[in-house]
Amino acid sequence: MAYIYKGLDGRKMTEFIASLDGVQDEVWGRTFEIAARAEALLVQHRAEGVARIDMAKGDIDAYVVLEDTNRNNTGSQKSSANSAASIEFGRSGYEVEVVDSSGEVVNEYEVGPMEGLYILTEASHLPKKRRSVRSPKKVRIKQRKRGGGQD
């Protein structure tokens, strides 16, 4: 293994090498390959929804991103809601209580567990890391008022 001690132009040598045009072209090319494989895997499993594969370029690195932005995980919902993480890694089952404005339970149901699809993991040829099983939880959702033709 070689050790590089000196820098160039005020930057570390490793940063200088990583920013070379040829290296950046290869990084972007590999990113595109992984994104294409991920998109093919996602299309095989897509039943509904707006999940998609995107690519992002940083200063040196490039990223393949699984995004799932819909009205269920944006806006007034918790900011920690993330359907993309559930698609990739799966989720534990949980119980849901739907309550009205006075706090009375009007409906109860269970959401079953879901095995992860590991879209990005498989597209990147990385080993799967299973998530630990979490204890069951109960979620309370406020019932929406219907009317005006909007949902």
Side-chain angles (χ1 to χ4, degrees):
M1 174 184 252
Y3 292 95
I4 301 174
Y5 294 101
K6 295 199 177 227
L8 186 64
D9 295 334
R11 297 188 294 175
K12 292 181 181 175
M13 186 61 77
T14 53
E15 185 180 324
F16 177 77
I17 293 170
S19 64
L20 292 172
D21 289 340
V23 174
Q24 286 298 296
D25 290 345
E26 183 66 19
V27 166
W28 193 246
R30 299 274 175 122
T31 303
F32 183 80
E33 289 173 12
I34 293 169
R37 284 193 299 267
E39 183 65 34
L41 290 167
L42 183 61
V43 167
Q44 290 175 6
H45 294 285
R46 183 176 290 147
E48 60 182 59
V50 292
R52 67 187 189 105
I53 301 297
D54 198 7
M55 297 185 304
K57 184 79 173 89
D59 292 337
I60 292 180
D61 295 323
Y63 308 93
V64 178
V65 181
L66 172 61
E67 295 180 338
D68 188 34
T69 308
N70 58 53
R71 70 183 190 160
N72 290 335
N73 62 10
T74 59
S76 64
Q77 293 287 336
K78 299 186 299 186
S79 61
S80 63
N82 188 346
S83 299
S86 292
I87 293 169
E88 182 72 10
F89 302 113
R91 66 161 188 260
S92 301
Y94 56 95
E95 297 176 10
V96 177
E97 288 183 344
V98 180
V99 298
D100 61 15
S101 57
S102 65
E104 290 289 319
V105 176
V106 293
N107 192 8
E108 291 182 282
Y109 60 91
E110 287 186 30
V111 175
M114 182 187 87
E115 187 69 29
L117 298 178
Y118 296 95
I119 301 290
L120 297 176
T121 303
E122 287 190 27
S124 304
H125 301 300
L126 295 171
K128 291 181 185 176
K129 293 185 179 179
R130 301 272 181 214
R131 290 169 80 174
S132 60
V133 176
R134 298 183 197 153
S135 58
K137 64 179 181 177
K138 188 175 274 192
V139 177
R140 290 177 67 96
I141 299 174
K142 231 181 202 182
Q143 184 179 31
R144 292 187 196 180
K145 292 182 182 179
R146 299 209 182 250
Q150 294 178 344
D151 213 9

